[in-house]
Amino acid sequence: MARPRTPLLSRERIVGAALALVDAEGLDALSTRRLATELSVSGPSLYNHFATKDDLLDAVVDYVMGEVDLAMFTAGTDWRTALRDWARSYRAALAAHPHIVPVLAQGPGRRPNALRLADAVFGHLVAAGWPRGQATRIGALMRYFVTGSALGSFAAGFPEDARLYTDDYPHLSEAHRLAEHRRTVDEGAFALGLEALLDGLDLRFAALER
């Protein structure tokens, strides 16, 4: 029997194509019709694997969550170092797929990798001595910080026209140069904020009654 020209569909192949489409053109580009065209299949064949577009999007988001390293939570790493390393890996995953961030910010839902991530962070903090309530809030705080930093570029938000700032915004006289240093500014801001956040948590941890 001759082999089919098009490889058989699988959840993995559909998710990979959907993620590539979202990465290239944004969430609005994702539709079953467009995805079927990209995969050279009929639209209804996608429903054998995903009942709705939302189910597919959940799988795409969860795939991205699977790219986040969680090894630091099982390696005997202290809680501060573990949070730092995890936050960096988390941000790297979001930076690679920025169009996914708005969906991800809604919470883990029923996504296995997202729930595994939340479980690892919470479990590690509790095991380190954080009260359960504070561990929950720290997990939320870290997610707010990382997803917020991945939503957009601070540096790229300033127009490059130097004349804009001359008269009315005297303290922004160099703002037109920020876009040239986008990566340095944005990554530096994330690193600074992360260390400041961890410094604050260190003070709270030291004050805990244990």
Side-chain angles (χ1 to χ4, degrees), residues 47-95:
Y47 293 109
N48 293 327
H49 300 273
F50 296 99
T52 66
K53 177 183 171 181
D54 286 341
D55 289 339
L56 171 59
L57 189 54
D58 264 354
V60 171
V61 173
D62 203 48
Y63 177 87
V64 173
M65 287 293 88
E67 295 181 350
V68 181
D69 185 12
L70 300 178
M72 66 288 296
F73 296 119
T74 57
T77 310
D78 67 272
W79 68 265
R80 176 177 176 136
T81 302
L83 281 185
R84 180 194 293 113
D85 293 346
W86 166 69
R88 289 173 175 169
S89 178
Y90 193 3
R91 185 175 185 273
L94 300 192

Side-chain angles (χ1 to χ4, degrees), residues 62 65 70 108-121:
D62 203 48
M65 287 293 88
L70 300 178
R110 295 177 179 272
R111 304 168 192 141
N113 286 327
L115 289 169
R116 193 173 297 116
L117 184 155
D119 181 74
V121 174

Side-chain angles (χ1 to χ4, degrees), residues 3-209:
R3 296 179 63 184
R5 291 183 178 181
T6 303
L8 296 177
L9 277 181
S10 65
R11 287 179 63 91
E12 292 75 17
R13 184 170 172 241
I14 295 170
V15 168
L19 179 57
L21 184 58
V22 171
D23 283 345
E25 301 182 31
L27 285 168
D28 290 342
L30 182 61
S31 67
T32 52
R33 177 179 297 180
R34 176 68 186 281
L35 188 56
T37 299
E38 294 290 325
L39 290 166
S40 301
V41 299
S42 63
S45 63
L46 298 176
Y47 293 109
N48 293 327
H49 300 273
F50 296 99
T52 66
K53 177 183 171 181
D54 286 341
D55 289 339
L56 171 59
L57 189 54
D58 264 354
V60 171
V61 173
D62 203 48
Y63 177 87
V64 173
M65 287 293 88
E67 295 181 350
V68 181
D69 185 12
L70 300 178
M72 66 288 296
F73 296 119
T74 57
T77 310
D78 67 272
W79 68 265
R80 176 177 176 136
T81 302
L83 281 185
R84 180 194 293 113
D85 293 346
W86 166 69
R88 289 173 175 169
S89 178
Y90 193 3
R91 185 175 185 273
L94 300 192
H97 310 287
H99 296 305
I100 289 296
V101 176
V103 182
L104 203 159
Q106 297 171 8
R110 295 177 179 272
R111 304 168 192 141
N113 286 327
L115 289 169
R116 193 173 297 116
L117 184 155
D119 181 74
V121 174
F122 178 78
H124 193 77
L125 290 171
V126 171
W130 284 97
R132 295 174 65 88
Q134 291 200 42
T136 300
R137 289 188 285 274
I138 292 170
L141 170 63
M142 296 299 292
R143 185 164 67 85
Y144 297 154
F145 175 69
V146 176
T147 55
S149 74
L151 277 173
S153 167
F154 174 82
F158 288 86
E160 297 180 24
D161 184 358
R163 295 171 299 177
L164 174 66
Y165 310 98
T166 303
D167 297 322
D168 296 329
Y169 313 103
H171 300 297
L172 298 179
S173 60
E174 297 297 316
H176 63 287
R177 301 183 185 278
L178 286 174
E180 301 173 17
H181 308 284
R182 174 175 176 171
R183 181 172 179 178
T184 301
V185 172
D186 292 341
E187 291 186 1
F190 173 77
L192 176 63
L194 180 58
E195 291 306 314
L197 189 157
L198 294 173
D199 285 345
L201 290 177
D202 251 341
L203 293 176
R204 286 182 172 271
F205 190 71
L208 289 177
E209 294 183 2

